[in-house]
Amino acid sequence: MRYRALAASMIAILVAGQVPAQAAEAESETCATPRFSDVGWTDISATTAIAGMILKSLGYTPKIDILSVAVTYEALPRGDVDVFLGNWMPLQDPIQRPLVEAGKIDVVQTNLEGAIIGLAVPKATYDAGLKTYSDIAKFGDDLGLKIYGIEAGSSANETISKMIAGDKFGLKDFQLVESSEQAMLAQVQRAVRSEKPIVFFGWRPHPMNVNIDMEYLTNGDDVFGPNDGAAEVLTNTRPGYVEECPNVGAFLKNFVFEVEQEDVLMSYILDDGMTADAAGEKWLKENPGVIDGWLAGVTTRDGKPGADAVRQGLGL
């Protein structure tokens, strides 16, 4: 009996030791090349580049294609794309929800919370009393009756224009100033240096939140969405992908960011002129603590500890 118990224990230990390798081997060969859609937005380019770097260290050969949002949501149900890290909600709800309800795409994880879009002001302007959307009209003369937006044709500018045309918050006498993102932010920086009030369209994550001491206006009556433009970003996959590729799926479930992290990542790209890959590598080397959480329960393709492989791949 004693020998039989010992033999059973040894078998259990051997089986337990083989579990990671068996889990990796359980993935089909198609899982070796995870296919990502990058819609070209700086935040999504950065997070997708980091995902690609990590998967390479795990022995995968990720493929990243630049696709529009519309094409991405055609490609996922067809199985031409495996993963999309840029499902901004509720902004993309009209296109995403019908596909989810029809079982044509899967939602794996919320990879970013705390995102926001809406009107913002410099901190000095906020401290002076311009804190809500209803306060804008009270500062009309100091603001020159102007609200600064981004490029013509954007959904943000359309929302601001509707506010003005509908005299929402008493803004009928205001003018929307349309320009590029860079020109708008340059105007904001000039106003800050001159200690003049300004109202502009802001969003987070974005380096503006690092470079400008700013505040978002509240009590916006859901003009930019519920909770004053609060947003989150979801990870989507083609249907059944996580079940088919459980090791990659485990990583995708763990792969989450904080807005402060993406603010910095985007700053490396937009302010320092780095590529998404270079920015991702720099940020990972500065923040190696994220690796253990992201790689919890994840192995390399051949069943070895994932976190160790990623550290080795990054030279950490």
Side-chain angles (χ1 to χ4, degrees):
M1 293 295 292
R2 185 172 60 186
Y3 294 112
R4 187 177 298 173
L6 178 61
S9 298
M10 291 180 66
I11 291 171
I13 291 170
L14 289 170
V15 170
Q18 291 174 355
V19 167
Q22 289 174 345
E25 290 167 4
E27 290 187 334
S28 68
E29 192 57 36
T30 58
C31 299
T33 305
R35 299 163 299 172
F36 286 78
S37 169
D38 174 6
V39 291
W41 302 334
T42 306
D43 56 331
I44 307 307
S45 293
T47 56
T48 303
I50 289 177
M53 258 181 282
I54 289 175
L55 288 168
K56 283 180 184 177
S57 295
L58 296 176
Y60 294 87
T61 54
K63 184 175 183 290
I64 300 173
D65 289 320
I66 304 295
L67 304 172
S68 69
V69 172
V71 171
T72 296
Y73 281 115
E74 292 173 357
L76 281 167
R78 287 200 308 261
D80 295 335
V81 166
D82 298 316
V83 185
F84 177 44
L85 299 175
N87 177 201
W88 270 77
M89 296 291 281
L91 183 66
Q92 293 172 352
D93 184 73
I95 188 172
Q96 183 254 50
R97 184 179 297 276
L99 294 174
V100 172
E101 292 177 347
K104 294 183 177 181
I105 64 171
D106 293 339
V107 175
V108 175
Q109 179 60 284
T110 299
N111 66 60
L112 181 71
E113 295 180 332
I116 188 171
I117 60 172
L119 295 183
V121 296
K123 182 65 162 54
T125 303
Y126 186 85
D127 290 342
L130 207 172
K131 299 182 178 182
T132 72
Y133 283 72
S134 296
D135 292 327
I136 298 173
K138 302 174 188 175
F139 285 75
D141 291 339
D142 293 332
L143 294 168
L145 296 175
K146 293 178 180 178
I147 297 175
Y148 288 82
I150 49 176
E151 70 275 1
S154 67
S155 58
N157 285 9
E158 181 180 351
T159 298
I160 297 170
S161 294
K162 287 181 179 178
M163 287 171 52
I164 294 172
D167 196 23
K168 189 82 170 176
F169 309 112
L171 298 178
K172 65 179 180 180
D173 294 326
F174 275 72
Q175 171 192 356
L176 169 64
V177 180
E178 296 184 311
S179 62
S180 67
E181 171 188 327
Q182 292 78 9
M184 179 195 74
L185 293 175
Q187 183 67 32
V188 174
Q189 293 281 21
R190 284 193 290 270
V192 170
R193 287 193 298 268
S194 303
E195 299 182 350
K196 294 181 178 179
I198 186 171
V199 175
F200 61 97
F201 177 66
W203 63 95
R204 190 170 199 187
H206 190 278
M208 72 174 79
N209 299 279
V210 177
N211 300 331
I212 302 170
D213 193 6
M214 57 185 279
E215 297 283 350
Y216 289 88
L217 302 184
T218 59
N219 299 334
D221 197 24
D222 293 347
V223 168
F224 284 98
N227 302 314
D228 289 321
E232 60 184 14
V233 184
L234 310 181
T235 298
N236 295 160
T237 66
R238 62 175 171 84
Y241 180 71
V242 168
E243 290 74 26
E244 180 183 336
C245 305
N247 195 50
V248 180
F251 166 62
L252 294 176
K253 291 177 182 178
N254 296 339
F255 193 56
V256 298
F257 286 85
E258 297 176 357
V259 288
E260 295 84 0
Q261 296 170 331
E262 292 198 20
D263 285 343
V264 174
L265 262 171
M266 295 174 69
S267 176
Y268 292 156
I269 297 172
L270 296 176
D271 296 337
D272 300 341
M274 300 177 72
T275 64
D277 285 337
E281 183 175 357
K282 174 181 170 67
W283 186 87
L284 273 174
K285 289 182 176 179
E286 293 173 341
N287 299 272
V290 300
I291 293 174
D292 284 330
W294 286 351
L295 277 299
V298 180
T299 71
T300 62
R301 279 275 292 158
D302 56 1
K304 296 176 182 176
D308 292 344
V310 170
R311 288 193 188 89
Q312 183 176 354
L314 293 170
L316 297 175

